[in-house]
Amino acid sequence: MEINLADIKLTPDLESVCRKKISDSVYFSSEFADYISNSRLKLINPSQNGSPSTYKAGFTGETTTSLSIGSAIHELLLQPDEFTLGPDLEKPSAKLGLVVDAIKEHRMQGMSVNDSIIAACKKVHYYENNINVSRIKSIIKAGLRYYINCRDILDDSIIILSSKDRTTVENCIHNLKTSSLVNRLLAPVDLFGDPILTYNEDAFFININASYQDKTCVLKLKMKADN
């Protein structure tokens, strides 16, 4: 059945609007799992390669080096009280480092070494179609030192990056903090030069009443404001 989106009536419930100062772990926890984020809406947007089936399947959990660098810069700049840049633990660069991180996660869940490596390669898309004995041995040889160095770090607020990526993040953070334009955006002042109260990474929630023909439902939306 083809549905005309213009026939769907959306009405915001202004009484439901609220702002919460919560951590990322709480925001993404099961407590707010029934809320829809902007990232999740992209999964159903046809112009962003989304579809109902993609939306129902949910996020793939795919991680890339670019995403990890971007996330680190975002967290260290806007959430300095919650995140810190950890020491150089000889993390392999590019996807191999992400593979070892995923191996650690799977091992903590009780998976065997072999199964953890295979699952990690599939998650990161690292030679996922050619995971043979030789490949597994090379991953262990190249990533073992980092695995040993990081296996006792269980605090997600400590950001561990490869030497190369760590330098990139440090340089980006320095450039951002010394930029007058960025500082004006992050710490704005009013016409009299007094600081304007701002909030980084606060969560906002709202309920939207949706109706189509004789059917109604409530869409619970959430977002985190960068600044």
Side-chain angles (χ1 to χ4, degrees):
M1 180 180 66
E2 188 171 317
I3 297 176
N4 187 347
L5 295 181
D7 294 334
I8 300 176
K9 183 179 180 181
L10 301 176
T11 307
D13 179 2
L14 300 182
E15 294 295 325
S16 69
V17 177
C18 66
R19 174 176 65 87
K20 295 179 181 288
K21 184 67 175 179
I22 56 179
S23 65
D24 285 352
S25 59
V26 175
Y27 180 79
F28 293 109
S29 71
S30 57
E31 181 179 353
F32 298 103
D34 56 341
Y35 280 81
I36 305 170
S37 65
N38 180 59
S39 299
R40 190 175 173 190
L41 284 175
K42 293 178 181 179
L43 300 179
I44 203 171
N45 188 350
S47 64
Q48 295 176 294
N49 298 320
S51 66
S53 59
T54 302
Y55 178 84
K56 291 178 181 179
F59 296 105
T60 61
E62 180 180 356
T63 303
T64 65
T65 302
S66 297
L67 283 174
S68 64
I69 291 175
S71 295
I73 294 171
H74 181 110
E75 292 163 347
L76 293 170
L77 182 67
L78 297 180
Q79 298 169 275
D81 295 333
E82 296 181 37
F83 294 93
T84 57
L85 184 59
D88 188 344
L89 298 181
E90 301 183 59
K91 180 176 182 177
S93 60
K95 282 193 173 184
L96 182 56
L98 301 179
V99 167
V100 180
D101 285 337
I103 291 173
K104 176 183 172 183
E105 293 177 9
H106 293 311
R107 290 288 290 149
M108 291 176 63
Q109 295 169 3
M111 295 178 64
S112 67
V113 173
N114 188 74
D115 290 346
S116 295
I117 293 175
I118 293 174
C121 289
K122 290 181 178 179
K123 178 181 179 180
V124 181
H125 301 298
Y126 182 79
Y127 295 103
E128 56 185 321
N129 296 319
N130 186 28
I131 310 174
N132 50 38
V133 174
S134 176
R135 182 73 60 195
I136 291 176
K137 287 182 178 179
S138 67
I139 291 173
I140 293 175
K141 181 179 179 180
L144 182 59
R145 182 180 293 276
Y146 168 58
Y147 180 86
I148 293 174
N149 289 340
C150 76
R151 63 182 175 182
D152 293 328
I153 296 181
L154 305 177
D155 189 347
D156 292 335
S157 68
I158 300 176
I159 301 171
I160 304 296
L161 301 169
S162 69
S163 300
K164 178 182 177 182
D165 293 343
R166 196 174 189 277
T167 300
T168 299
V169 168
E170 287 178 323
N171 289 337
C172 287
I173 292 294
H174 172 75
N175 291 337
L176 289 168
K177 286 185 175 180
T178 55
S179 167
S180 57
L181 175 59
V182 172
N183 282 315
R184 286 197 299 271
L185 293 173
L186 295 180
V189 296
D190 59 24
L191 294 175
F192 303 99
D194 296 321
I196 297 175
L197 190 60
T198 60
Y199 302 91
N200 290 333
E201 292 299 294
D202 277 15
F204 292 85
F205 302 86
I206 184 175
N207 293 342
I208 304 293
N209 297 314
S211 61
Y212 175 72
Q213 296 180 352
D214 60 342
K215 299 179 180 179
T216 62
C217 70
V218 177
L219 303 176
K220 302 169 73 173
L221 307 182
K222 67 178 182 179
M223 66 161 287
K224 268 207 166 190
D226 289 342
N227 180 263

